[in-house]
Amino acid sequence: MSLQIKIEKTKFPKPKPNQDNLGFGQYFTDHMFIMNYTEGKGWHDPRIVPYGPIPFEPSTMVFHYGQAVFEGLKAYKTTDGRVLLFRPRKNMERINISNDRLCIPPVDPDFCVEALKTLVNIDKDWIPEAEGTSLYIRPFIIATDPYLGVRNSKTYMFMIILSPSGAYYPGGINPVKIYVEPRYVRAVRGGTGYAKTPGNYAASLKAQDEAHNEGYVQVLWLDGVEKKYVEEVGSMNVFFKINGEVITPALEGSILPGITRASTIDLLNHWGVKVTERRLSIQELYEASENGTLEEAFGTGTAAVISPIGELSWEGKKMIINNGKIGELSQKIYDTITGIQNGRLKDEFGWTLEVK
Amino acid sequence: MSLQIKIEKTKFPKPKPNQDNLGFGQYFTDHMFIMNYTEGKGWHDPRIVPYGPIPFEPSTMVFHYGQAVFEGLKAYKTTDGRVLLFRPRKNMERINISNDRLCIPPVDPDFCVEALKTLVNIDKDWIPEAEGTSLYIRPFIIATDPYLGVRNSKTYMFMIILSPSGAYYPGGINPVKIYVEPRYVRAVRGGTGYAKTPGNYAASLKAQDEAHNEGYVQVLWLDGVEKKYVEEVGSMNVFFKINGEVITPALEGSILPGITRASTIDLLNHWGVKVTERRLSIQELYEASENGTLEEAFGTGTAAVISPIGELSWEGKKMIINNGKIGELSQKIYDTITGIQNGRLKDEFGWTLEVK
Ligand SMILES: Cc1ncc(COP(=O)(O)O)c(C=O)c1O
Ligand SMILES: Cc1ncc(COP(=O)(O)O)c(C=O)c1O
């Protein structure tokens, strides 16, 4: 795509939010990127405009049939003032995998990375600088036909919005308690589990609510067919270290192919730690916990990077992992990935992209 | 809810669309109903305002996490000029079932029926009069927090919009060809299949596309666990008459509890026709087709009322039903329900509600 991005800067820059209290996903920068798709014309009119509300017809298809996809990644400010993105092309490749499942026309990943860099550069003063903070980046596509028939939309909007966000672990990393979900199902093979599409998240809210009520932070999903195999946790992929070997569920269509997951596997391979992608039953996990071979457990995702799991509750049985403390390997992965992201460690893998 | 509906009439009524070419869901009337929900305050500010676009922040939760539900029903103009709704309270009860699954606060069904009647009455000149036409009514609720964390929204909008729509069968009822979907899954028990929520429809687009490419109108979904039992067709529940008995899949959480389905069962019971809700495998259906006992097949739903199935294609095997013609019982159900809807038949069941 050799499109030219039109840029209209805001005349009314907003005050920046209090840097000590950013939270997640609640403040937005001064600008946003928009591009439209029209059947027969393709993606057109890429532009950066002041951030603000957009008028939508109540009949807009996304409200009714959820034809939409999204991505999530972060920009980090290094101590020497550079701005780094972490593997942004992977997100733009993944959005096309999601697009294919949702019957949304593909985007040009290189052009979208360009758009993203241009936008982040314009709003770079919004990137927070304190340890662990970042600029959360949300590219998303929605179906925009004003039409109530159930069919693919003929028009779409691709947008990128930016949200300065606080540290995930303001008080230091602490392991979480996770509830193994016995009843609700997030996704099943043949469904949309591998795509980053709104419906998957809507479907997960109820189980999340019930887990919260029981005092757990998130749920661990089991497969939708046999309710036996471990899938993923909330917005994270999941890894277990059992007897020295790291195991993570294989990508069989029902879980999101996480970019932090892929990076974790690359690191483990690089370090010579045995890592296996396969089915892992909750029963096997329980037995490993009982016989003392379940050494570490953690989730991986853009938001937390690594989220150690200190306790799993399964049908009333509790598995306490590493005495509820973060494991050595989990810590090493966390330190390495965040070190590469914030520029303190050498990026041996070519994972970061500088915005200038 | 003893809320007062504020009414603001449009100063610029739109010209009515050409009545011969209405199609479905593409024209909208002059007004819409809106009501907001705010945590701690409940549903508030019910109002009828001129139909038109509404500004939304790009961070509005429904775009990202699909927390939304909807309904669909119709208003009919009778030959003597009355306006009838068909079982509207059922839709408002069902929206609360969907709300519960999607963690959206419940609405007051009686108040919502009131709102619906008030709106339809204001726009009653928009109800088309030709045989088979109707005013399609779309109530829906969307999550409106401008926030990117995955959690329940704290604010929502409930809207009702109206769309004058053409006859489903402009050229007379003709049976459709349906493709039994072997690969994709719409819903699984423990998921959101029984709720009317956008994600279910987004998930169905890909299979629908592929069926269209093979020359089929819609897909027949099989259950997500065993890929063995018949579930529903596109936006319809499904019935089969085998050896004099009518069979429809039982409601086990993965299919929508259709209001036309319920009405069809009531009618069959009333007529003394044996009707059974149970699991029905595609293999059993195929055997019935082979041995000549599969007498009729049809879908039920608000849009078509009854849609006879003339052909099913399953793993390359074709089942031709009733020589590809509409069956006697299917026709009788269609005539009875549409007769009650448009006021030509006496409403013995108290299904219709007059708008005045
Ligand atoms: C369902 C789900 N699984 C896994 C992940 C982790 O993916 P990534 O590492 O690319 O952020 C995410 C979050 O992005 C997610 O939403
Ligand atoms: C998935 C699905 N199944 C079944 C139906 C039929 O339901 P009803 O008869 O209430 O229109 C619909 C349509 O409304 C639907 O969307």
Side-chain angles (χ1 to χ4, degrees):
Chain A
M1 229 178 318
S2 61
L3 291 170
Q4 186 69 31
I5 301 173
K6 238 184 74 184
I7 297 174
E8 179 201 336
K9 292 237 182 117
T10 184
K11 292 189 186 72
F12 309 99
K14 295 180 281 197
K16 309 273 188 302
N18 178 349
Q19 300 292 297
D20 299 332
N21 198 9
L22 288 172
F24 175 77
Q26 57 182 324
Y27 299 106
F28 297 90
T29 65
D30 279 329
H31 299 88
M32 59 186 175
F33 173 83
I34 307 183
M35 165 165 86
N36 294 85
Y37 179 91
T38 308
E39 200 182 60
K41 194 170 167 186
W43 290 104
H44 60 88
D45 287 305
R47 57 203 185 272
I48 288 171
V49 295
Y51 182 90
I54 298 173
F56 287 97
E57 295 277 331
S59 58
T60 302
M61 285 185 87
V62 66
F63 294 137
H64 303 272
Y65 305 125
Q67 198 192 4
V69 297
F70 67 96
E71 272 302 329
L73 68 160
K74 287 177 173 177
Y76 307 85
K77 202 162 257 175
T78 65
T79 36
D80 57 354
R82 291 176 305 140
V83 175
L84 297 180
L85 298 172
F86 187 71
R87 311 188 82 177
R89 201 174 191 286
K90 288 271 169 219
N91 294 90
M92 297 308 172
E93 288 163 11
R94 188 169 66 185
I95 209 169
N96 275 341
I97 296 172
S98 301
N99 280 337
D100 177 70
R101 182 63 181 84
L102 275 296
C103 302
I104 296 173
V107 294
D108 175 340
D110 292 317
F111 177 77
C112 290
V113 169
E114 231 9 75
L116 201 154
K117 281 172 68 178
T118 309
L119 179 66
V120 170
N121 198 38
I122 287 177
D123 278 343
K124 64 173 174 299
D125 292 348
W126 283 82
I127 310 177
E129 307 199 343
E131 176 73 31
T133 64
S134 62
L135 184 72
Y136 183 76
I137 303 170
R138 168 59 54 91
F140 65 109
I141 304 178
I142 55 176
T144 50
D145 278 7
Y147 180 62
L148 296 185
V150 180
R151 59 139 171 83
N152 306 342
S153 185
K154 296 173 182 183
T155 60
Y156 300 88
M157 273 175 84
F158 176 109
M159 286 187 253
I160 306 175
I161 59 178
L162 307 175
S163 175
S165 295
Y168 195 89
Y169 297 113
I173 302 188
N174 56 338
V176 290
K177 291 163 74 175
I178 300 283
Y179 183 74
V180 181
E181 175 54 47
R183 210 165 116 220
Y184 296 110
V185 169
R186 178 189 167 271
V188 66
R189 50 111 185 73
T192 56
Y194 67 93
K196 222 166 152 65
T197 183
N200 293 341
Y201 298 81
S204 76
L205 294 172
K206 182 104 173 151
Q208 187 176 298
D209 259 19
E210 296 185 5
H212 284 178
N213 290 343
E214 301 287 320
Y216 294 86
V217 168
Q218 266 298 352
V219 304
L220 173 63
W221 297 105
L222 299 181
D223 75 282
V225 175
E226 303 187 53
K227 297 262 188 82
K228 204 166 128 181
Y229 299 103
V230 163
E231 297 229 310
E232 57 184 334
V233 169
S235 298
M236 293 190 283
N237 296 108
V238 70
F239 287 74
F240 301 92
K241 183 160 165 260
I242 300 178
N243 216 358
E245 176 187 358
V246 178
I247 301 163
T248 191
L251 301 176
E252 296 183 345
S254 54
I255 65 174
L256 195 79
I259 294 162
T260 322
R261 175 187 182 277
S263 307
T264 298
I265 293 173
D266 287 352
L267 275 185
L268 293 171
N269 279 324
H270 182 74
W271 293 336
V273 178
K274 186 169 182 204
V275 50
T276 310
E277 300 175 63
R278 66 163 168 93
R279 289 198 186 176
L280 174 66
S281 75
I282 185 71
Q283 179 65 34
E284 180 181 348
L285 207 56
Y286 181 67
E287 284 163 18
S289 168
E290 286 294 284
N291 69 27
T293 55
L294 176 54
E295 297 155 354
E296 300 188 28
F298 56 93
T300 64
T302 294
V305 182
I306 298 292
S307 173
I309 298 171
E311 179 186 323
L312 280 171
S313 165
W314 175 50
E315 291 181 352
K317 301 186 274 283
K318 291 203 189 318
M319 313 179 209
I320 307 292
I321 301 156
N322 197 35
N323 291 314
K325 296 205 201 63
I326 183 168
E328 207 179 309
L329 188 61
S330 311
Q331 183 76 55
K332 185 175 172 191
I333 299 165
Y334 179 81
D335 291 342
T336 308
I337 295 182
T338 55
I340 292 173
Q341 288 172 335
N342 61 33
R344 269 199 283 260
L345 289 184
K346 187 158 160 267
D347 175 12
E348 297 179 71
F349 305 92
W351 282 343
T352 56
L353 182 70
E354 191 175 341
V355 174
K356 17 184 180 194
Chain B
M1 229 178 320
S2 60
L3 291 170
Q4 186 68 31
I5 302 173
K6 238 182 76 183
I7 297 174
E8 179 199 338
K9 291 237 182 118
T10 183
K11 294 190 184 69
F12 309 99
K14 294 180 280 196
K16 309 274 187 304
N18 179 347
Q19 300 292 298
D20 299 332
N21 198 9
L22 288 171
F24 175 77
Q26 57 183 322
Y27 298 105
F28 296 91
T29 64
D30 279 329
H31 300 89
M32 60 186 175
F33 173 83
I34 308 183
M35 165 165 84
N36 294 85
Y37 179 92
T38 308
E39 200 181 60
K41 193 171 168 187
W43 290 105
H44 60 89
D45 286 305
R47 58 204 184 272
I48 288 171
V49 294
Y51 182 91
I54 299 173
F56 287 96
E57 297 277 330
S59 59
T60 302
M61 284 185 86
V62 66
F63 295 137
H64 303 272
Y65 306 125
Q67 198 193 3
V69 297
F70 67 96
E71 272 303 328
L73 68 160
K74 287 176 173 178
Y76 307 85
K77 202 163 258 176
T78 66
T79 38
D80 58 353
R82 291 177 304 140
V83 175
L84 297 180
L85 298 171
F86 187 72
R87 312 187 82 177
R89 201 175 191 286
K90 288 271 171 220
N91 294 90
M92 297 309 172
E93 288 164 12
R94 188 168 66 186
I95 210 170
N96 274 342
I97 296 172
S98 301
N99 280 337
D100 177 71
R101 183 62 181 84
L102 275 297
C103 302
I104 295 174
V107 293
D108 175 341
D110 293 317
F111 178 77
C112 290
V113 169
E114 231 8 75
L116 201 153
K117 282 172 69 178
T118 310
L119 179 66
V120 169
N121 198 39
I122 287 177
D123 278 343
K124 65 173 173 297
D125 292 349
W126 282 83
I127 310 178
E129 307 199 343
E131 176 73 31
T133 62
S134 61
L135 184 72
Y136 183 76
I137 303 171
R138 168 59 55 90
F140 64 110
I141 303 177
I142 55 176
T144 50
D145 278 7
Y147 179 62
L148 297 184
V150 181
R151 59 138 170 88
N152 306 343
S153 184
K154 296 173 182 183
T155 61
Y156 300 88
M157 272 174 85
F158 175 108
M159 286 186 253
I160 306 175
I161 58 178
L162 307 175
S163 175
S165 293
Y168 195 88
Y169 297 113
I173 302 189
N174 57 338
V176 291
K177 292 163 74 175
I178 300 284
Y179 183 75
V180 181
E181 175 56 47
R183 211 165 115 221
Y184 296 110
V185 169
R186 177 189 167 272
V188 68
R189 50 110 185 74
T192 57
Y194 67 94
K196 222 166 153 65
T197 183
N200 292 341
Y201 299 80
S204 77
L205 294 171
K206 183 106 173 151
Q208 186 176 298
D209 259 19
E210 296 185 6
H212 285 178
N213 291 342
E214 301 287 321
Y216 294 86
V217 168
Q218 266 297 351
V219 304
L220 173 63
W221 298 105
L222 299 180
D223 75 281
V225 176
E226 302 187 54
K227 297 261 189 81
K228 205 167 130 181
Y229 299 103
V230 164
E231 297 230 310
E232 57 184 334
V233 168
S235 298
M236 293 190 284
N237 295 107
V238 71
F239 287 74
F240 301 93
K241 182 160 165 261
I242 300 177
N243 217 357
E245 177 186 358
V246 178
I247 301 162
T248 192
L251 302 176
E252 297 183 344
S254 54
I255 66 174
L256 195 77
I259 293 161
T260 322
R261 175 186 182 279
S263 308
T264 297
I265 293 172
D266 287 351
L267 275 185
L268 293 171
N269 280 323
H270 182 73
W271 294 335
V273 178
K274 187 170 182 202
V275 51
T276 310
E277 301 175 63
R278 65 164 168 94
R279 289 198 185 177
L280 174 66
S281 75
I282 184 73
Q283 178 66 35
E284 180 181 348
L285 208 56
Y286 181 67
E287 283 163 19
S289 168
E290 285 294 285
N291 69 27
T293 54
L294 176 54
E295 297 154 355
E296 301 188 28
F298 57 93
T300 64
T302 294
V305 183
I306 298 293
S307 174
I309 299 170
E311 181 186 322
L312 280 172
S313 166
W314 176 48
E315 291 181 353
K317 300 187 274 284
K318 290 203 192 317
M319 313 178 209
I320 307 293
I321 301 156
N322 197 34
N323 291 314
K325 295 206 202 60
I326 183 168
E328 208 178 308
L329 188 62
S330 311
Q331 183 76 55
K332 186 176 172 190
I333 300 166
Y334 179 81
D335 291 341
T336 308
I337 295 182
T338 56
I340 293 173
Q341 288 172 335
N342 61 33
R344 268 200 284 261
L345 290 183
K346 188 159 160 269
D347 175 13
E348 298 178 71
F349 305 92
W351 282 343
T352 55
L353 182 70
E354 191 176 340
V355 174
K356 20 184 177 194

